Structures are given as C-alpha cells and as structure tokens.
Amino acid sequence: MPRAAVKKRAYHHGDLRRALLEAALAIVASAGPSALTIRDVARRVGVSQAAPYHHFADKDALLAAVAQEGFVAFTAALVAGRARGGTKVAARLRELGAAYVAFAVANPSALRVMFGGAVCISDHPTLKQTADGAFAVLLESMLEGQKAGVLRRGDPSELALLAWSMLHGLAMLWLDGALHGPTGAPVDVEQLARKASDAIVRGLSG
Amino acid sequence: MPRAAVKKRAYHHGDLRRALLEAALAIVASAGPSALTIRDVARRVGVSQAAPYHHFADKDALLAAVAQEGFVAFTAALVAGRARGGTKVAARLRELGAAYVAFAVANPSALRVMFGGAVCISDHPTLKQTADGAFAVLLESMLEGQKAGVLRRGDPSELALLAWSMLHGLAMLWLDGALHGPTGAPVDVEQLARKASDAIVRGLSG
DNA sequence: ACCTGAACACCGTTCAAGT
DNA sequence: ACCTGAACACCGTTCAAGT
C-alpha cells in the first residue's frame, strides 16, 4: 500500500501546495475572503508561517490559484449543464443558467473568491484566460441561438454579456443573502435561474 | 464671515465624522475596499489613530456608514432616472436601468462598498432598511408595469428580483473590468443598460 | 529543493490620561 | 464631549540558516 508510505509526516510536506489551497477554501467558507490570512492557512496545515511563500508569491497569488481552480470547475459545470438541456437551444440555455447558479450554491466560497473582488482577474494572465474560457461557453450558446433563429441577430458578445449579467447578478445577490423574502424564507434560486434564462431568451429573441 | 471662524484648527475637529467618511471613500477609490485602513483614514484627516473610534464602533461600522450614504444617494438616483423616462412604462424602466449603471460609473467606490462584500448589509439593520428602499423603487416599477399590462402577472417581487439581477450583474461586471472587449476597448455601459432593461421588459412581458 | 525562526513594518482595538 | 499616547495581539513578507 503505497498510500500509507506517502503518509509519513516528515520535514517535507507531501503536497503542501494542495493542502494550502484547501485550507484557504475552508477559511473562506467559514469567515469570508477578507478573513483569510496566510498565517492562519499555514497554521491549519501545520507548517511555519513562511512556508506558503515557497509555493505562492504572496497572498494574492494564493487567492488567484483558488480562483483558477474555481474557474476550471465552473467552466466544466456550465458545459455539463448545457448538455443536460438536450438539443433544443432554449432548453440548453435554460440548463446552462441553472448550472451557473447551482455552481454558486454548491461552491459559494469558490465563487466569492472568483468574483468577490478579492482577486483582480486581469492582474493574472492565466486566470484571465481561464475566466474567458467560461465566458466562451456562454458566447457559443448565444451563437447557437442565433444560428437556430431563436436569438436576434447582431453582436453575439453583446448578447452574451447581457445573459452573463443576468446570471452573474442572480448568483451574486444570492451569495450576498439578498434573496430572502421579508419573512427570511429562502428562494429556490436554481428554479429562479431557469426563469431568468427563459426571460433572457425571450428578451433577446429575434 | 462665520465660515472662517469655524475654520480654526483646534483640538476638536470641526466635523470629524464627515471627514472620516470622505477620506474612506477616497481611499477606496484609489486602492479598493480591502486596502482601507482605519489608521490611514485617521492619518489623512490629521488625527490620531484612536480618534475614529469615537465616531465609529469599528472598521465595519465605518464601512457600513459609507454604504448607508451610498444607498441613500443611489435610491435618489434611481427615482430621478425613472422620472426622466416620462410616462411610458417601458421608457421609465429603461431609464431606471440606465440610472442604475450610471450611478455605478459615477460612484464606483460607493458601489464597491455597497455591494462588494466588504460590509454585510444584513448585519446592520438601518443599512438593510435603506438598501430595501432602493429595491422598493424597482418593485414599484414592476407593479406599474403589471398594472399597465406591459409585464406578466404573478409575484411582482420575483419580477423585481430578475430585473435587479440583470442590472446588478451588469454594474458589477463593469466594476470588475469584465466589460472590455478583447481589444481592451471599453463598452458604453449606460447604453448597454438600456438594452438590458428593454430585454427584461420583453422577457418578462405578459 | 523545501522548510523554519526571527525580524521588520505594518494593522485593529483598547484605555487611561489629557484638553 | 472629544481627542491622544502607549500598549497588545495580531498581519504580510523577507531572509539567513537549517534538513
């Protein structure tokens, strides 16, 4: 069992980088990105306060790495969601929207790091590219819609931007807890995301 | 000239509270909310590091006060924008949307504090109430739209939530700098906001 | 190659003491 | 009533030194 062999706690950590990323996500989950401290991350992993600097240039780089992994998973979730919509364009867009918000619900911490302003995406070229990849999924879908005659003609990236705004706004408002009725009762966001997608398709129809 | 009389720099600051709020906004404008430091705010105003604590319980309270003023101005801007739309419901909603984004463009720092996650709205009852007031403007407009038969029947707060998501998402994406074409060319967001509002009206029409 | 200990220049916050 | 000075327990980051 090589698994156990790897387990020996030694001077050198098995995969410190990975452990740091996970600890960071755990802290964000329990206290928000602003409470994230590199010293705390190190402490949780059981390593000295200086150790993280051998894997990340600084705190910002650590957050960027968390966001990077988030965007990769996010893009996959969008693609998978869209596929669940089958062959009809409107259904594909509806499920893509549902997947967007479902990801937010399932990974609030990741989304907070990705879009919460704690890390400036354009400061990190690789991250920017990955984030653009997620946007590209939406853009493709808009092109699909135009080709099928379901969406109006014109600049597809403008359509994508409007659809993105809708879903992004919904996800962010949910993260901020703004989506609770006066009674404090939570809303079924995923269902709301489907309605939002339908509204977008109608609103941007040809 | 009583103005000059007030100007004497004394042990007591004229209106330290106001000065602190303005300095805070200036810091956010130049370096973002995460860079805001109570010591720096005090330094800029020329007061000891402990002085702010006589006006705000802590850093969070200072940020909440900034957000509070932001929401008051924001609500006024939404109401004024909507009025510019005249009497036709669709035009009123279009201008409300334009005003939303125009406020973001004119007051990026305020918006960042209001919605950037640096302050948790629901932690501050007064702030929550004021923020709800802004949402109420949108809700009223949806009711107007339903009464005029322009918007579909059903829960008006759901319609408002969807419209809010669209505008909020657009404003946030703009703040995050996500609205730059591949060339880096900026988009006319305010115009985009009008298109967004029109899409919402179409998408949520009866 | 990877990690630690100690150090430096910062923070938020408190509190007795000043005006 | 409002403000300061000094203090405490924290941070981010660096760097020589250890394994």
Side-chain angles (χ1 to χ4, degrees):
Chain A
M1 34 176 83
R3 207 81 193 303
V6 167
K7 248 190 173 177
K8 65 175 158 75
R9 280 270 138 267
Y11 189 81
H12 286 63
H13 193 284
D15 189 351
L16 183 52
R17 194 189 134 88
R18 165 105 273 108
L20 292 169
L21 288 172
E22 273 160 25
L25 217 39
I27 293 172
V28 172
S30 70
S34 63
L36 187 128
T37 263
I38 236 165
R39 287 171 108 115
D40 194 24
V41 171
R43 228 175 274 133
R44 288 198 189 210
V45 172
V47 95
S48 89
Q49 70 205 218
Y53 289 91
H54 293 283
H55 299 270
F56 302 100
D58 51 25
K59 190 180 170 180
D60 189 53
L62 170 63
L63 279 166
V66 170
Q68 167 70 19
E69 300 210 335
F71 273 111
V72 169
F74 183 53
T75 303
L78 292 182
V79 170
R82 181 174 59 180
R84 270 197 295 281
T87 52
K88 281 184 55 186
V89 170
R92 287 167 68 75
L93 273 166
R94 180 168 46 240
E95 292 311 310
L96 184 143
Y100 192 121
V101 173
F103 185 87
V105 172
N107 307 88
S109 312
L111 215 78
R112 245 184 271 273
V113 176
M114 290 156 65
F115 293 118
V119 49
C120 178
I121 294 176
S122 54
D123 283 352
H124 306 269
T126 309
L127 181 56
K128 173 84 173 91
Q129 237 178 317
T130 312
D132 284 347
F135 182 74
V137 176
L138 207 60
L139 188 59
E140 281 165 23
S141 299
M142 300 319 266
L143 286 165
E144 252 184 40
Q146 289 184 312
K147 204 168 269 177
V150 170
L151 297 180
R152 72 156 91 118
R153 283 200 229 93
D155 183 4
S157 70
E158 182 179 294
L159 300 188
L161 215 46
L162 293 175
W164 185 269
S165 292
M166 173 105 241
L167 297 171
H168 181 64
L170 192 55
M172 287 296 114
L173 287 178
W174 180 81
L175 273 188
D176 292 354
L179 266 57
H180 304 290
T183 58
V187 180
D188 179 351
V189 250
E190 213 173 320
Q191 195 49 36
L192 203 54
R194 271 181 257 265
K195 290 184 182 180
S197 305
D198 287 345
I200 277 291
V201 172
R202 287 193 66 189
L204 303 178
S205 63
Chain B
M1 34 176 81
R3 208 82 194 301
V6 168
K7 247 189 174 177
K8 65 177 157 75
R9 280 271 136 269
Y11 190 80
H12 286 63
H13 194 284
D15 189 351
L16 184 52
R17 195 190 135 88
R18 165 105 272 109
L20 292 169
L21 287 173
E22 273 160 25
L25 216 38
I27 293 172
V28 172
S30 70
S34 63
L36 187 127
T37 263
I38 235 165
R39 286 171 108 115
D40 195 22
V41 171
R43 229 176 274 132
R44 288 199 189 210
V45 172
V47 96
S48 89
Q49 70 205 219
Y53 289 92
H54 292 283
H55 298 270
F56 302 100
D58 51 24
K59 190 180 170 179
D60 189 53
L62 171 62
L63 280 166
V66 170
Q68 167 71 20
E69 301 210 335
F71 272 111
V72 169
F74 184 54
T75 304
L78 292 182
V79 170
R82 181 175 60 180
R84 271 197 293 282
T87 52
K88 280 183 55 187
V89 170
R92 286 167 68 76
L93 273 165
R94 181 167 45 239
E95 292 311 310
L96 184 143
Y100 192 120
V101 173
F103 185 87
V105 172
N107 305 88
S109 312
L111 215 77
R112 246 185 270 275
V113 176
M114 290 156 64
F115 292 119
V119 48
C120 178
I121 294 175
S122 53
D123 283 352
H124 306 268
T126 309
L127 181 55
K128 175 81 172 91
Q129 236 179 318
T130 312
D132 284 348
F135 183 75
V137 176
L138 206 60
L139 189 59
E140 281 166 24
S141 300
M142 301 317 268
L143 285 166
E144 253 185 41
Q146 288 183 313
K147 204 168 271 180
V150 170
L151 297 179
R152 73 156 90 117
R153 281 200 231 93
D155 182 5
S157 70
E158 183 181 294
L159 301 187
L161 215 45
L162 293 175
W164 184 270
S165 293
M166 173 104 241
L167 296 171
H168 182 64
L170 191 55
M172 288 294 114
L173 287 177
W174 181 81
L175 273 189
D176 293 354
L179 267 56
H180 304 290
T183 58
V187 181
D188 180 350
V189 249
E190 212 173 321
Q191 195 50 36
L192 203 54
R194 270 180 257 264
K195 291 184 182 180
S197 304
D198 288 344
I200 278 291
V201 171
R202 286 195 65 188
L204 303 179
S205 63

PDB file of all heavy atoms in Angstrom, chain A residues 81-114:
ATOM      1  N   GLY A  81     -23.977  21.354 -17.703  1.00  0.00           N
ATOM      2  CA  GLY A  81     -25.356  21.809 -17.545  1.00  0.00           C
ATOM      3  C   GLY A  81     -26.022  22.008 -18.888  1.00  0.00           C
ATOM      4  O   GLY A  81     -27.134  21.520 -19.124  1.00  0.00           O
ATOM      5  N   ARG A  82     -25.330  22.688 -19.766  1.00  0.00           N
ATOM      6  CA  ARG A  82     -25.881  22.950 -21.097  1.00  0.00           C
ATOM      7  C   ARG A  82     -26.230  21.641 -21.809  1.00  0.00           C
ATOM      8  O   ARG A  82     -27.281  21.529 -22.442  1.00  0.00           O
ATOM      9  CB  ARG A  82     -24.866  23.729 -21.919  1.00  0.00           C
ATOM     10  CG  ARG A  82     -25.344  24.067 -23.301  1.00  0.00           C
ATOM     11  CD  ARG A  82     -24.357  24.952 -24.022  1.00  0.00           C
ATOM     12  NE  ARG A  82     -23.042  24.328 -24.133  1.00  0.00           N
ATOM     13  CZ  ARG A  82     -22.001  24.905 -24.725  1.00  0.00           C
ATOM     14  NH1 ARG A  82     -22.114  26.121 -25.218  1.00  0.00           N
ATOM     15  NH2 ARG A  82     -20.842  24.288 -24.800  1.00  0.00           N
ATOM     16  N   ALA A  83     -25.339  20.652 -21.660  1.00  0.00           N
ATOM     17  CA  ALA A  83     -25.569  19.360 -22.302  1.00  0.00           C
ATOM     18  C   ALA A  83     -26.847  18.715 -21.767  1.00  0.00           C
ATOM     19  O   ALA A  83     -27.570  18.041 -22.505  1.00  0.00           O
ATOM     20  CB  ALA A  83     -24.377  18.442 -22.081  1.00  0.00           C
ATOM     21  N   ARG A  84     -27.122  18.929 -20.499  1.00  0.00           N
ATOM     22  CA  ARG A  84     -28.345  18.367 -19.906  1.00  0.00           C
ATOM     23  C   ARG A  84     -29.595  18.925 -20.564  1.00  0.00           C
ATOM     24  O   ARG A  84     -30.678  18.352 -20.428  1.00  0.00           O
ATOM     25  CB  ARG A  84     -28.386  18.663 -18.402  1.00  0.00           C
ATOM     26  CG  ARG A  84     -27.743  17.594 -17.554  1.00  0.00           C
ATOM     27  CD  ARG A  84     -28.148  17.709 -16.088  1.00  0.00           C
ATOM     28  NE  ARG A  84     -27.669  18.931 -15.455  1.00  0.00           N
ATOM     29  CZ  ARG A  84     -26.431  19.133 -15.016  1.00  0.00           C
ATOM     30  NH1 ARG A  84     -25.538  18.181 -15.145  1.00  0.00           N
ATOM     31  NH2 ARG A  84     -26.083  20.267 -14.457  1.00  0.00           N
ATOM     32  N   GLY A  85     -29.451  20.066 -21.241  1.00  0.00           N
ATOM     33  CA  GLY A  85     -30.595  20.671 -21.908  1.00  0.00           C
ATOM     34  C   GLY A  85     -31.012  19.966 -23.186  1.00  0.00           C
ATOM     35  O   GLY A  85     -32.038  20.300 -23.772  1.00  0.00           O
ATOM     36  N   GLY A  86     -30.190  19.019 -23.626  1.00  0.00           N
ATOM     37  CA  GLY A  86     -30.541  18.274 -24.837  1.00  0.00           C
ATOM     38  C   GLY A  86     -30.208  19.028 -26.107  1.00  0.00           C
ATOM     39  O   GLY A  86     -29.136  19.622 -26.211  1.00  0.00           O
ATOM     40  N   THR A  87     -31.137  19.001 -27.047  1.00  0.00           N
ATOM     41  CA  THR A  87     -30.833  19.577 -28.358  1.00  0.00           C
ATOM     42  C   THR A  87     -31.551  20.908 -28.609  1.00  0.00           C
ATOM     43  O   THR A  87     -31.128  21.678 -29.456  1.00  0.00           O
ATOM     44  CB  THR A  87     -31.238  18.600 -29.479  1.00  0.00           C
ATOM     45  OG1 THR A  87     -32.598  18.206 -29.274  1.00  0.00           O
ATOM     46  CG2 THR A  87     -30.354  17.352 -29.447  1.00  0.00           C
ATOM     47  N   LYS A  88     -32.613  21.163 -27.884  1.00  0.00           N
ATOM     48  CA  LYS A  88     -33.325  22.421 -28.106  1.00  0.00           C
ATOM     49  C   LYS A  88     -32.547  23.591 -27.488  1.00  0.00           C
ATOM     50  O   LYS A  88     -32.173  23.550 -26.317  1.00  0.00           O
ATOM     51  CB  LYS A  88     -34.737  22.355 -27.521  1.00  0.00           C
ATOM     52  CG  LYS A  88     -35.715  21.593 -28.431  1.00  0.00           C
ATOM     53  CD  LYS A  88     -37.128  21.618 -27.868  1.00  0.00           C
ATOM     54  CE  LYS A  88     -37.623  23.033 -27.607  1.00  0.00           C
ATOM     55  NZ  LYS A  88     -38.937  23.040 -26.921  1.00  0.00           N
ATOM     56  N   VAL A  89     -32.332  24.605 -28.294  1.00  0.00           N
ATOM     57  CA  VAL A  89     -31.499  25.724 -27.877  1.00  0.00           C
ATOM     58  C   VAL A  89     -31.993  26.399 -26.601  1.00  0.00           C
ATOM     59  O   VAL A  89     -31.218  26.672 -25.678  1.00  0.00           O
ATOM     60  CB  VAL A  89     -31.400  26.767 -29.016  1.00  0.00           C
ATOM     61  CG1 VAL A  89     -30.749  28.038 -28.502  1.00  0.00           C
ATOM     62  CG2 VAL A  89     -30.611  26.203 -30.178  1.00  0.00           C
ATOM     63  N   ALA A  90     -33.280  26.651 -26.529  1.00  0.00           N
ATOM     64  CA  ALA A  90     -33.827  27.324 -25.354  1.00  0.00           C
ATOM     65  C   ALA A  90     -33.611  26.489 -24.101  1.00  0.00           C
ATOM     66  O   ALA A  90     -33.268  27.018 -23.034  1.00  0.00           O
ATOM     67  CB  ALA A  90     -35.309  27.614 -25.553  1.00  0.00           C
ATOM     68  N   ALA A  91     -33.781  25.180 -24.232  1.00  0.00           N
ATOM     69  CA  ALA A  91     -33.594  24.294 -23.083  1.00  0.00           C
ATOM     70  C   ALA A  91     -32.124  24.261 -22.668  1.00  0.00           C
ATOM     71  O   ALA A  91     -31.795  24.227 -21.481  1.00  0.00           O
ATOM     72  CB  ALA A  91     -34.076  22.887 -23.423  1.00  0.00           C
ATOM     73  N   ARG A  92     -31.252  24.280 -23.666  1.00  0.00           N
ATOM     74  CA  ARG A  92     -29.813  24.285 -23.381  1.00  0.00           C
ATOM     75  C   ARG A  92     -29.427  25.538 -22.610  1.00  0.00           C
ATOM     76  O   ARG A  92     -28.666  25.484 -21.640  1.00  0.00           O
ATOM     77  CB  ARG A  92     -29.012  24.177 -24.677  1.00  0.00           C
ATOM     78  CG  ARG A  92     -29.066  22.765 -25.295  1.00  0.00           C
ATOM     79  CD  ARG A  92     -28.549  22.735 -26.722  1.00  0.00           C
ATOM     80  NE  ARG A  92     -27.120  22.997 -26.845  1.00  0.00           N
ATOM     81  CZ  ARG A  92     -26.158  22.120 -26.537  1.00  0.00           C
ATOM     82  NH1 ARG A  92     -26.485  20.931 -26.079  1.00  0.00           N
ATOM     83  NH2 ARG A  92     -24.883  22.434 -26.686  1.00  0.00           N
ATOM     84  N   LEU A  93     -29.962  26.668 -23.028  1.00  0.00           N
ATOM     85  CA  LEU A  93     -29.662  27.912 -22.321  1.00  0.00           C
ATOM     86  C   LEU A  93     -30.269  27.919 -20.917  1.00  0.00           C
ATOM     87  O   LEU A  93     -29.656  28.413 -19.971  1.00  0.00           O
ATOM     88  CB  LEU A  93     -30.188  29.103 -23.122  1.00  0.00           C
ATOM     89  CG  LEU A  93     -29.207  29.612 -24.170  1.00  0.00           C
ATOM     90  CD1 LEU A  93     -29.883  30.557 -25.152  1.00  0.00           C
ATOM     91  CD2 LEU A  93     -28.038  30.334 -23.485  1.00  0.00           C
ATOM     92  N   ARG A  94     -31.454  27.351 -20.825  1.00  0.00           N
ATOM     93  CA  ARG A  94     -32.089  27.298 -19.509  1.00  0.00           C
ATOM     94  C   ARG A  94     -31.259  26.478 -18.542  1.00  0.00           C
ATOM     95  O   ARG A  94     -31.034  26.871 -17.402  1.00  0.00           O
ATOM     96  CB  ARG A  94     -33.496  26.717 -19.634  1.00  0.00           C
ATOM     97  CG  ARG A  94     -34.234  26.624 -18.314  1.00  0.00           C
ATOM     98  CD  ARG A  94     -35.720  26.331 -18.501  1.00  0.00           C
ATOM     99  NE  ARG A  94     -35.962  25.278 -19.463  1.00  0.00           N
ATOM    100  CZ  ARG A  94     -36.670  25.408 -20.578  1.00  0.00           C
ATOM    101  NH1 ARG A  94     -37.236  26.562 -20.865  1.00  0.00           N
ATOM    102  NH2 ARG A  94     -36.834  24.399 -21.392  1.00  0.00           N
ATOM    103  N   GLU A  95     -30.765  25.350 -18.989  1.00  0.00           N
ATOM    104  CA  GLU A  95     -29.980  24.483 -18.103  1.00  0.00           C
ATOM    105  C   GLU A  95     -28.584  25.051 -17.843  1.00  0.00           C
ATOM    106  O   GLU A  95     -28.004  24.825 -16.790  1.00  0.00           O
ATOM    107  CB  GLU A  95     -29.902  23.066 -18.671  1.00  0.00           C
ATOM    108  CG  GLU A  95     -31.247  22.354 -18.665  1.00  0.00           C
ATOM    109  CD  GLU A  95     -31.955  22.446 -17.306  1.00  0.00           C
ATOM    110  OE1 GLU A  95     -31.324  22.146 -16.287  1.00  0.00           O
ATOM    111  OE2 GLU A  95     -33.145  22.839 -17.274  1.00  0.00           O
ATOM    112  N   LEU A  96     -28.069  25.774 -18.790  1.00  0.00           N
ATOM    113  CA  LEU A  96     -26.794  26.453 -18.557  1.00  0.00           C
ATOM    114  C   LEU A  96     -26.968  27.467 -17.428  1.00  0.00           C
ATOM    115  O   LEU A  96     -26.142  27.559 -16.506  1.00  0.00           O
ATOM    116  CB  LEU A  96     -26.321  27.152 -19.834  1.00  0.00           C
ATOM    117  CG  LEU A  96     -24.959  27.820 -19.754  1.00  0.00           C
ATOM    118  CD1 LEU A  96     -24.212  27.659 -21.077  1.00  0.00           C
ATOM    119  CD2 LEU A  96     -25.057  29.294 -19.416  1.00  0.00           C
ATOM    120  N   GLY A  97     -28.067  28.201 -17.477  1.00  0.00           N
ATOM    121  CA  GLY A  97     -28.360  29.170 -16.417  1.00  0.00           C
ATOM    122  C   GLY A  97     -28.532  28.488 -15.073  1.00  0.00           C
ATOM    123  O   GLY A  97     -28.010  28.954 -14.052  1.00  0.00           O
ATOM    124  N   ALA A  98     -29.232  27.375 -15.093  1.00  0.00           N
ATOM    125  CA  ALA A  98     -29.441  26.643 -13.842  1.00  0.00           C
ATOM    126  C   ALA A  98     -28.104  26.143 -13.298  1.00  0.00           C
ATOM    127  O   ALA A  98     -27.857  26.185 -12.095  1.00  0.00           O
ATOM    128  CB  ALA A  98     -30.389  25.470 -14.079  1.00  0.00           C
ATOM    129  N   ALA A  99     -27.229  25.701 -14.204  1.00  0.00           N
ATOM    130  CA  ALA A  99     -25.922  25.187 -13.783  1.00  0.00           C
ATOM    131  C   ALA A  99     -25.060  26.307 -13.184  1.00  0.00           C
ATOM    132  O   ALA A  99     -24.316  26.091 -12.225  1.00  0.00           O
ATOM    133  CB  ALA A  99     -25.198  24.557 -14.969  1.00  0.00           C
ATOM    134  N   TYR A 100     -25.179  27.487 -13.750  1.00  0.00           N
ATOM    135  CA  TYR A 100     -24.433  28.642 -13.243  1.00  0.00           C
ATOM    136  C   TYR A 100     -24.760  28.860 -11.776  1.00  0.00           C
ATOM    137  O   TYR A 100     -23.891  28.915 -10.903  1.00  0.00           O
ATOM    138  CB  TYR A 100     -24.800  29.886 -14.059  1.00  0.00           C
ATOM    139  CG  TYR A 100     -23.917  31.093 -13.865  1.00  0.00           C
ATOM    140  CD1 TYR A 100     -23.238  31.659 -14.943  1.00  0.00           C
ATOM    141  CD2 TYR A 100     -23.775  31.700 -12.621  1.00  0.00           C
ATOM    142  CE1 TYR A 100     -22.434  32.781 -14.780  1.00  0.00           C
ATOM    143  CE2 TYR A 100     -22.972  32.819 -12.453  1.00  0.00           C
ATOM    144  CZ  TYR A 100     -22.312  33.360 -13.553  1.00  0.00           C
ATOM    145  OH  TYR A 100     -21.522  34.465 -13.389  1.00  0.00           O
ATOM    146  N   VAL A 101     -26.051  28.960 -11.513  1.00  0.00           N
ATOM    147  CA  VAL A 101     -26.478  29.249 -10.149  1.00  0.00           C
ATOM    148  C   VAL A 101     -26.273  28.046  -9.235  1.00  0.00           C
ATOM    149  O   VAL A 101     -25.931  28.194  -8.063  1.00  0.00           O
ATOM    150  CB  VAL A 101     -27.933  29.734 -10.144  1.00  0.00           C
ATOM    151  CG1 VAL A 101     -28.456  29.869  -8.726  1.00  0.00           C
ATOM    152  CG2 VAL A 101     -28.017  31.086 -10.862  1.00  0.00           C
ATOM    153  N   ALA A 102     -26.445  26.842  -9.787  1.00  0.00           N
ATOM    154  CA  ALA A 102     -26.218  25.646  -8.980  1.00  0.00           C
ATOM    155  C   ALA A 102     -24.758  25.591  -8.518  1.00  0.00           C
ATOM    156  O   ALA A 102     -24.467  25.177  -7.399  1.00  0.00           O
ATOM    157  CB  ALA A 102     -26.569  24.389  -9.776  1.00  0.00           C
ATOM    158  N   PHE A 103     -23.871  26.023  -9.390  1.00  0.00           N
ATOM    159  CA  PHE A 103     -22.457  26.048  -9.003  1.00  0.00           C
ATOM    160  C   PHE A 103     -22.246  27.020  -7.844  1.00  0.00           C
ATOM    161  O   PHE A 103     -21.506  26.734  -6.898  1.00  0.00           O
ATOM    162  CB  PHE A 103     -21.577  26.449 -10.191  1.00  0.00           C
ATOM    163  CG  PHE A 103     -20.098  26.376  -9.897  1.00  0.00           C
ATOM    164  CD1 PHE A 103     -19.403  25.189 -10.078  1.00  0.00           C
ATOM    165  CD2 PHE A 103     -19.410  27.490  -9.422  1.00  0.00           C
ATOM    166  CE1 PHE A 103     -18.036  25.116  -9.792  1.00  0.00           C
ATOM    167  CE2 PHE A 103     -18.050  27.418  -9.131  1.00  0.00           C
ATOM    168  CZ  PHE A 103     -17.361  26.231  -9.324  1.00  0.00           C
ATOM    169  N   ALA A 104     -22.904  28.156  -7.928  1.00  0.00           N
ATOM    170  CA  ALA A 104     -22.797  29.149  -6.852  1.00  0.00           C
ATOM    171  C   ALA A 104     -23.297  28.578  -5.532  1.00  0.00           C
ATOM    172  O   ALA A 104     -22.690  28.789  -4.478  1.00  0.00           O
ATOM    173  CB  ALA A 104     -23.575  30.408  -7.216  1.00  0.00           C
ATOM    174  N   VAL A 105     -24.395  27.833  -5.610  1.00  0.00           N
ATOM    175  CA  VAL A 105     -24.972  27.254  -4.408  1.00  0.00           C
ATOM    176  C   VAL A 105     -24.057  26.174  -3.838  1.00  0.00           C
ATOM    177  O   VAL A 105     -23.877  26.063  -2.626  1.00  0.00           O
ATOM    178  CB  VAL A 105     -26.376  26.678  -4.698  1.00  0.00           C
ATOM    179  CG1 VAL A 105     -26.913  25.896  -3.513  1.00  0.00           C
ATOM    180  CG2 VAL A 105     -27.331  27.816  -5.066  1.00  0.00           C
ATOM    181  N   ALA A 106     -23.454  25.391  -4.730  1.00  0.00           N
ATOM    182  CA  ALA A 106     -22.611  24.284  -4.294  1.00  0.00           C
ATOM    183  C   ALA A 106     -21.209  24.740  -3.884  1.00  0.00           C
ATOM    184  O   ALA A 106     -20.550  24.105  -3.073  1.00  0.00           O
ATOM    185  CB  ALA A 106     -22.508  23.240  -5.401  1.00  0.00           C
ATOM    186  N   ASN A 107     -20.751  25.833  -4.469  1.00  0.00           N
ATOM    187  CA  ASN A 107     -19.391  26.314  -4.198  1.00  0.00           C
ATOM    188  C   ASN A 107     -19.357  27.801  -3.890  1.00  0.00           C
ATOM    189  O   ASN A 107     -18.668  28.564  -4.568  1.00  0.00           O
ATOM    190  CB  ASN A 107     -18.496  26.045  -5.419  1.00  0.00           C
ATOM    191  CG  ASN A 107     -18.526  24.607  -5.862  1.00  0.00           C
ATOM    192  OD1 ASN A 107     -19.369  24.210  -6.655  1.00  0.00           O
ATOM    193  ND2 ASN A 107     -17.621  23.803  -5.348  1.00  0.00           N
ATOM    194  N   PRO A 108     -20.068  28.201  -2.867  1.00  0.00           N
ATOM    195  CA  PRO A 108     -20.138  29.640  -2.572  1.00  0.00           C
ATOM    196  C   PRO A 108     -18.769  30.264  -2.328  1.00  0.00           C
ATOM    197  O   PRO A 108     -18.501  31.375  -2.767  1.00  0.00           O
ATOM    198  CB  PRO A 108     -21.021  29.707  -1.326  1.00  0.00           C
ATOM    199  CG  PRO A 108     -20.995  28.333  -0.742  1.00  0.00           C
ATOM    200  CD  PRO A 108     -20.818  27.406  -1.890  1.00  0.00           C
ATOM    201  N   SER A 109     -17.890  29.525  -1.633  1.00  0.00           N
ATOM    202  CA  SER A 109     -16.578  30.084  -1.327  1.00  0.00           C
ATOM    203  C   SER A 109     -15.780  30.312  -2.595  1.00  0.00           C
ATOM    204  O   SER A 109     -15.144  31.357  -2.770  1.00  0.00           O
ATOM    205  CB  SER A 109     -15.797  29.155  -0.409  1.00  0.00           C
ATOM    206  OG  SER A 109     -16.596  28.748   0.671  1.00  0.00           O
ATOM    207  N   ALA A 110     -15.794  29.320  -3.472  1.00  0.00           N
ATOM    208  CA  ALA A 110     -15.053  29.466  -4.730  1.00  0.00           C
ATOM    209  C   ALA A 110     -15.575  30.674  -5.499  1.00  0.00           C
ATOM    210  O   ALA A 110     -14.805  31.508  -5.974  1.00  0.00           O
ATOM    211  CB  ALA A 110     -15.198  28.199  -5.568  1.00  0.00           C
ATOM    212  N   LEU A 111     -16.888  30.788  -5.594  1.00  0.00           N
ATOM    213  CA  LEU A 111     -17.454  31.896  -6.345  1.00  0.00           C
ATOM    214  C   LEU A 111     -17.108  33.241  -5.713  1.00  0.00           C
ATOM    215  O   LEU A 111     -16.845  34.219  -6.409  1.00  0.00           O
ATOM    216  CB  LEU A 111     -18.972  31.750  -6.452  1.00  0.00           C
ATOM    217  CG  LEU A 111     -19.503  32.266  -7.786  1.00  0.00           C
ATOM    218  CD1 LEU A 111     -19.251  31.247  -8.871  1.00  0.00           C
ATOM    219  CD2 LEU A 111     -20.956  32.623  -7.715  1.00  0.00           C
ATOM    220  N   ARG A 112     -17.076  33.266  -4.400  1.00  0.00           N
ATOM    221  CA  ARG A 112     -16.733  34.501  -3.716  1.00  0.00           C
ATOM    222  C   ARG A 112     -15.308  34.931  -4.073  1.00  0.00           C
ATOM    223  O   ARG A 112     -15.035  36.105  -4.264  1.00  0.00           O
ATOM    224  CB  ARG A 112     -16.852  34.326  -2.203  1.00  0.00           C
ATOM    225  CG  ARG A 112     -17.951  35.179  -1.599  1.00  0.00           C
ATOM    226  CD  ARG A 112     -17.954  35.045  -0.091  1.00  0.00           C
ATOM    227  NE  ARG A 112     -18.800  33.952   0.370  1.00  0.00           N
ATOM    228  CZ  ARG A 112     -20.108  34.077   0.602  1.00  0.00           C
ATOM    229  NH1 ARG A 112     -20.697  35.227   0.408  1.00  0.00           N
ATOM    230  NH2 ARG A 112     -20.805  33.064   1.028  1.00  0.00           N
ATOM    231  N   VAL A 113     -14.425  33.951  -4.131  1.00  0.00           N
ATOM    232  CA  VAL A 113     -13.040  34.284  -4.484  1.00  0.00           C
ATOM    233  C   VAL A 113     -12.960  34.674  -5.969  1.00  0.00           C
ATOM    234  O   VAL A 113     -12.264  35.606  -6.342  1.00  0.00           O
ATOM    235  CB  VAL A 113     -12.093  33.101  -4.183  1.00  0.00           C
ATOM    236  CG1 VAL A 113     -10.680  33.405  -4.649  1.00  0.00           C
ATOM    237  CG2 VAL A 113     -12.098  32.797  -2.690  1.00  0.00           C
ATOM    238  N   MET A 114     -13.699  33.945  -6.796  1.00  0.00           N
ATOM    239  CA  MET A 114     -13.652  34.201  -8.238  1.00  0.00           C
ATOM    240  C   MET A 114     -14.197  35.578  -8.610  1.00  0.00           C
ATOM    241  O   MET A 114     -13.650  36.271  -9.461  1.00  0.00           O
ATOM    242  CB  MET A 114     -14.478  33.129  -8.978  1.00  0.00           C
ATOM    243  CG  MET A 114     -13.856  31.741  -8.951  1.00  0.00           C
ATOM    244  SD  MET A 114     -15.078  30.415  -9.191  1.00  0.00           S
ATOM    245  CE  MET A 114     -15.641  30.724 -10.860  1.00  0.00           C
TER     246      MET A 114
END
